[in-house]
Protein backbone atom coordinates (compact mmCIF):
# COMPACT_ATOMS: atom_id res chain seq x y z
CA UNK A 1 0.00 0.00 0.00
CA UNK A 2 1.42 3.42 -0.97
CA UNK A 3 1.48 6.21 1.58
CA UNK A 4 -0.72 8.94 0.14
CA UNK A 5 0.44 11.52 2.70
CA UNK A 6 2.03 14.57 1.07
CA UNK A 7 5.52 14.74 2.59
CA UNK A 8 5.43 18.52 2.27
CA UNK A 9 2.29 18.89 4.39
CA UNK A 10 2.71 19.38 8.15
CA UNK A 11 1.75 16.57 10.55
CA UNK A 12 -0.86 17.80 13.06
CA UNK A 13 0.74 18.33 16.46
CA UNK A 14 4.33 18.24 15.10
CA UNK A 15 6.76 21.15 15.39
CA UNK A 16 8.90 22.36 12.50
CA UNK A 17 12.63 21.67 12.45
CA UNK A 18 13.24 25.40 12.88
CA UNK A 19 11.19 25.44 16.09
CA UNK A 20 13.05 22.44 17.42
CA UNK A 21 16.30 24.24 16.79
CA UNK A 22 15.05 27.22 18.80
CA UNK A 23 14.13 29.49 15.89
CA UNK A 24 10.97 31.54 15.52
CA UNK A 25 7.69 29.61 15.60
CA UNK A 26 5.59 32.26 13.95
CA UNK A 27 5.16 30.10 10.86
CA UNK A 28 4.54 26.88 12.81
CA UNK A 29 1.58 24.64 12.15
CA UNK A 30 -1.51 26.06 13.98
CA UNK A 31 -2.29 22.55 15.19
CA UNK A 32 1.08 22.25 16.93
CA UNK A 33 0.74 21.60 20.65
CA UNK A 34 -2.80 20.24 20.41
CA UNK A 35 -3.39 16.88 22.07
CA UNK A 36 -4.32 13.89 19.95
CA UNK A 37 -7.63 12.09 20.14
CA UNK A 38 -5.91 9.16 21.86
CA UNK A 39 -4.39 11.45 24.49
CA UNK A 40 -7.74 13.12 25.07
CA UNK A 41 -9.48 9.72 25.50
CA UNK A 42 -6.82 8.47 27.89
CA UNK A 43 -7.05 11.64 29.93
CA UNK A 44 -10.83 11.45 30.08
CA UNK A 45 -10.70 7.87 31.32
CA UNK A 46 -8.18 8.81 34.00
CA UNK A 47 -10.38 11.68 35.20
CA UNK A 48 -13.50 9.48 35.27
CA UNK A 49 -11.67 6.74 37.16
CA UNK A 50 -10.32 9.21 39.68
CA UNK A 51 -13.76 10.72 40.24
CA UNK A 52 -15.37 7.31 40.71
CA UNK A 53 -12.73 6.14 43.20
CA UNK A 54 -12.38 9.40 45.10
CA UNK A 55 -8.75 9.93 44.03
CA UNK A 56 -7.26 13.27 43.13
CA UNK A 57 -5.78 13.81 39.70
CA UNK A 58 -2.35 13.96 41.31
CA UNK A 59 -2.88 10.50 42.75
CA UNK A 60 -3.74 9.03 39.34
CA UNK A 61 -0.38 10.02 37.89
CA UNK A 62 2.14 7.28 38.59
CA UNK A 63 5.37 6.26 37.00
CA UNK A 64 6.48 2.75 36.14
CA UNK A 65 8.45 2.68 39.39
CA UNK A 66 5.20 3.11 41.34
CA UNK A 67 3.59 -0.01 39.83
CA UNK A 68 3.72 -3.29 41.80
CA UNK A 69 6.33 -5.75 40.65
CA UNK A 70 5.08 -8.80 38.78
CA UNK A 71 5.17 -12.02 40.77
CA UNK A 72 6.11 -14.00 37.71
CA UNK A 73 8.37 -16.66 39.21
CA UNK A 74 6.76 -19.24 41.48
CA UNK A 75 7.13 -22.97 41.89
CA UNK A 76 4.10 -25.02 42.82
CA UNK A 77 3.96 -28.68 43.82
CA UNK A 78 0.76 -30.67 43.97
CA UNK A 79 -0.76 -34.03 43.13
CA UNK A 80 -3.05 -34.10 40.11
CA UNK A 81 -5.03 -37.23 39.30
CA UNK A 82 -2.67 -39.27 41.50
CA UNK A 83 0.56 -38.00 39.92
CA UNK A 84 3.00 -35.58 41.54
CA UNK A 85 3.67 -32.39 39.62
CA UNK A 86 6.17 -29.60 40.14
CA UNK A 87 5.79 -26.57 37.90
CA UNK A 88 7.36 -23.17 37.44
CA UNK A 89 4.47 -20.78 36.96
CA UNK A 90 3.50 -17.15 36.91
CA UNK A 91 2.29 -16.56 40.45
CA UNK A 92 -0.81 -14.84 39.09
CA UNK A 93 -1.93 -17.86 37.03
CA UNK A 94 -5.27 -19.47 37.75
CA UNK A 95 -5.43 -23.19 38.47
CA UNK A 96 -7.54 -23.58 35.33
CA UNK A 97 -4.88 -22.03 33.09
CA UNK A 98 -2.10 -24.14 34.61
CA UNK A 99 -4.12 -27.33 34.18
CA UNK A 100 -5.04 -26.56 30.59
CA UNK A 101 -1.92 -24.83 29.27
CA UNK A 102 0.93 -26.45 31.19
CA UNK A 103 -0.42 -29.91 32.00
CA UNK A 104 -2.61 -30.25 28.89
CA UNK A 105 -5.58 -31.37 31.02
CA UNK A 106 -8.22 -29.68 28.89
CA UNK A 107 -11.27 -31.42 30.35
CA UNK A 108 -11.96 -28.47 32.64
CA UNK A 109 -13.37 -25.80 30.33
CA UNK A 110 -12.94 -22.05 30.35
CA UNK A 111 -16.48 -20.76 30.07
CA UNK A 112 -17.22 -17.41 31.70
CA UNK A 113 -13.83 -17.13 33.47
CA UNK A 114 -15.73 -15.40 36.30
CA UNK A 115 -16.81 -18.40 38.41
CA UNK A 116 -20.43 -18.17 37.29
CA UNK A 117 -20.92 -21.08 34.87
CA UNK A 118 -19.21 -24.03 36.57
CA UNK A 119 -17.59 -25.37 33.39
CA UNK A 120 -14.17 -25.26 35.09
CA UNK A 121 -15.16 -27.29 38.18
CA UNK A 122 -12.46 -29.57 39.59
CA UNK A 123 -11.92 -31.15 43.00
CA UNK A 124 -9.34 -29.71 45.38
CA UNK A 125 -8.75 -32.06 48.33
CA UNK A 126 -12.09 -33.64 47.48
CA UNK A 127 -14.07 -30.40 47.43
CA UNK A 128 -15.38 -28.82 44.24
CA UNK A 129 -13.90 -25.47 43.29
CA UNK A 130 -14.16 -23.10 40.37
CA UNK A 131 -10.63 -23.45 39.04
CA UNK A 132 -10.86 -20.17 37.11
CA UNK A 133 -11.10 -18.31 40.44
CA UNK A 134 -8.49 -20.41 42.25
CA UNK A 135 -4.88 -19.32 42.06
CA UNK A 136 -2.57 -22.18 41.16
CA UNK A 137 -0.35 -21.31 44.12
CA UNK A 138 -3.30 -22.07 46.40
CA UNK A 139 -3.02 -25.71 45.34
CA UNK A 140 0.47 -26.03 46.84
CA UNK A 141 0.79 -29.43 48.53
CA UNK A 142 -2.81 -30.35 47.81
CA UNK A 143 -4.58 -32.99 45.73
CA UNK A 144 -6.43 -32.09 42.54
CA UNK A 145 -8.83 -34.30 40.61
CA UNK A 146 -10.02 -33.36 37.14
CA UNK A 147 -12.47 -35.13 34.86
CA UNK A 148 -9.49 -36.99 33.33
CA UNK A 149 -8.75 -38.64 36.67
CA UNK A 150 -12.29 -39.49 37.70
CA UNK A 151 -11.99 -43.04 36.34
CA UNK A 152 -8.92 -45.13 35.45
CA UNK A 153 -7.77 -44.97 31.84
CA UNK A 154 -8.01 -48.74 31.46
CA UNK A 155 -11.03 -49.27 33.68
CA UNK A 156 -14.78 -48.71 33.66
CA UNK A 157 -16.33 -45.28 33.57
CA UNK A 158 -17.27 -43.58 36.81
CA UNK A 159 -20.95 -44.26 37.66
CA UNK A 160 -21.84 -40.64 36.95
CA UNK A 161 -20.07 -40.66 33.61
CA UNK A 162 -22.02 -43.77 32.66
CA UNK A 163 -25.26 -42.25 33.95
CA UNK A 164 -24.77 -39.14 31.80
CA UNK A 165 -24.49 -41.45 28.78
CA UNK A 166 -27.46 -43.57 29.81
CA UNK A 167 -29.70 -40.54 30.41
CA UNK A 168 -28.43 -38.58 27.38
CA UNK A 169 -27.58 -35.77 29.81
CA UNK A 170 -25.54 -33.72 27.35
CA UNK A 171 -25.87 -32.02 24.00
CA UNK A 172 -22.92 -29.86 22.97
CA UNK A 173 -20.89 -31.36 25.84
CA UNK A 174 -18.99 -28.20 26.73
CA UNK A 175 -20.33 -27.99 30.28
CA UNK A 176 -20.40 -31.77 30.83
CA UNK A 177 -17.01 -32.21 32.58
CA UNK A 178 -17.88 -29.49 35.08
CA UNK A 179 -21.40 -30.87 35.51
CA UNK A 180 -20.04 -34.35 36.28
CA UNK A 181 -17.40 -33.10 38.73
CA UNK A 182 -19.98 -30.98 40.51
CA UNK A 183 -22.47 -33.87 40.54
CA UNK A 184 -19.93 -36.22 42.15
CA UNK A 185 -19.33 -33.64 44.87
CA UNK A 186 -23.06 -33.04 45.26
CA UNK A 187 -23.66 -36.73 46.00
CA UNK A 188 -20.63 -37.10 48.29
CA UNK A 189 -21.69 -34.01 50.23
CA UNK A 190 -25.01 -35.73 50.96
CA UNK A 191 -27.02 -33.25 48.91
CA UNK A 192 -28.71 -35.66 46.50
CA UNK A 193 -31.61 -36.67 48.74
CA UNK A 194 -34.31 -35.15 46.55
CA UNK A 195 -34.79 -33.55 43.15
CA UNK A 196 -35.16 -30.14 44.79
CA UNK A 197 -31.95 -30.59 46.76
CA UNK A 198 -30.02 -31.69 43.68
CA UNK A 199 -31.26 -28.67 41.71
CA UNK A 200 -30.20 -26.35 44.52
CA UNK A 201 -26.69 -27.78 44.90
CA UNK A 202 -26.14 -28.01 41.14
CA UNK A 203 -27.37 -24.47 40.50
CA UNK A 204 -23.82 -23.17 40.07
CA UNK A 205 -23.41 -25.23 36.89
CA UNK A 206 -25.11 -23.83 33.82
CA UNK A 207 -26.11 -25.73 30.68
CA UNK A 208 -26.82 -23.50 27.70
CA UNK A 209 -28.38 -26.46 25.89
CA UNK A 210 -30.98 -26.89 28.65
CA UNK A 211 -30.28 -30.54 29.46
CA UNK A 212 -31.22 -30.04 33.11
CA UNK A 213 -33.95 -32.76 33.37
CA UNK A 214 -31.54 -35.38 31.99
CA UNK A 215 -28.72 -34.17 34.26
CA UNK A 216 -31.05 -34.54 37.24
CA UNK A 217 -32.00 -38.05 36.11
CA UNK A 218 -28.34 -39.01 35.72
CA UNK A 219 -27.50 -37.88 39.25
CA UNK A 220 -30.47 -39.76 40.66
CA UNK A 221 -29.37 -42.88 38.79
CA UNK A 222 -25.76 -42.77 39.98
CA UNK A 223 -26.29 -41.52 43.54
CA UNK A 224 -26.94 -44.94 45.14
CA UNK A 225 -23.66 -46.27 43.69
CA UNK A 226 -21.41 -43.47 44.89
CA UNK A 227 -22.93 -42.36 48.19
CA UNK A 228 -20.39 -42.82 50.94
CA UNK A 229 -17.43 -43.22 48.56
Amino acid sequence: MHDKTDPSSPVPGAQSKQETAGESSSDADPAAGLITRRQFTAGSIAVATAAASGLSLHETACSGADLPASNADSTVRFTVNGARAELDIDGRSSLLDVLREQLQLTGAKKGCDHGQCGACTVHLDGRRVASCLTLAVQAEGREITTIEGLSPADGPLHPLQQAFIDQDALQCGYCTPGQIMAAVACVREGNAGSAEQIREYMSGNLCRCGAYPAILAAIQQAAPEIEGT
Side-chain angles (χ1 to χ4, degrees):
M1 180 181 292
H2 296 290
D3 188 353
K4 297 181 179 179
T5 304
D6 182 354
S8 65
S9 62
V11 179
Q15 292 180 313
S16 67
K17 293 181 180 179
Q18 290 81 4
E19 264 196 289
T20 305
E23 298 180 13
S24 172
S25 60
S26 59
D27 297 328
D29 177 16
L34 295 179
I35 63 174
T36 65
R37 180 179 299 177
R38 178 175 295 180
Q39 290 170 326
F40 175 79
T41 302
S44 300
I45 293 173
V47 171
T49 303
S53 59
L55 297 176
S56 67
L57 289 180
H58 175 73
E59 290 173 309
T60 63
C62 61
S63 65
D66 298 323
L67 298 175
S70 170
N71 181 21
D73 297 307
S74 298
T75 300
V76 64
R77 303 170 186 84
F78 50 64
T79 301
V80 56
N81 298 331
R84 292 284 297 166
E86 180 174 333
L87 302 169
D88 292 326
I89 65 170
D90 185 319
R92 301 161 298 181
S93 298
S94 69
L95 179 58
L96 175 63
D97 285 341
V98 169
L99 290 173
R100 289 180 57 84
E101 297 174 13
Q102 292 189 243
L103 294 176
Q104 304 304 307
L105 295 171
T106 57
K109 297 297 187 283
K110 180 173 283 194
C112 66
D113 211 22
H114 286 75
Q116 297 176 346
C117 71
C120 67
T121 303
V122 300
H123 294 175
L124 188 60
D125 288 342
R127 299 186 63 182
R128 51 178 156 174
V129 297
S131 59
C132 74
L133 295 185
T134 304
L135 288 173
V137 293
Q138 292 179 273
E140 173 68 33
R142 302 172 75 178
E143 185 170 346
I144 302 163
T145 305
T146 70
I147 190 69
E148 290 91 343
L150 197 58
S151 60
D154 57 350
L157 293 175
H158 187 279
L160 256 167
Q161 291 174 308
Q162 187 60 55
F164 265 64
I165 295 172
D166 295 343
Q167 298 295 334
D168 198 20
L170 65 153
Q171 289 187 41
C172 78
Y174 194 84
C175 74
T176 304
Q179 295 278 0
I180 291 175
M181 297 304 290
V184 171
C186 176
V187 175
R188 289 178 177 170
E189 292 162 4
N191 296 316
S194 66
E196 291 74 19
Q197 193 176 35
I198 293 171
R199 291 191 189 98
E200 174 65 26
Y201 285 89
M202 288 294 294
S203 60
N205 289 74
L206 305 182
C207 173
R208 295 177 71 91
C209 300
Y212 296 112
I215 292 172
L216 173 61
I219 296 172
Q220 290 175 320
Q221 173 185 315
E225 295 185 61
I226 61 178
E227 283 176 341
T229 62

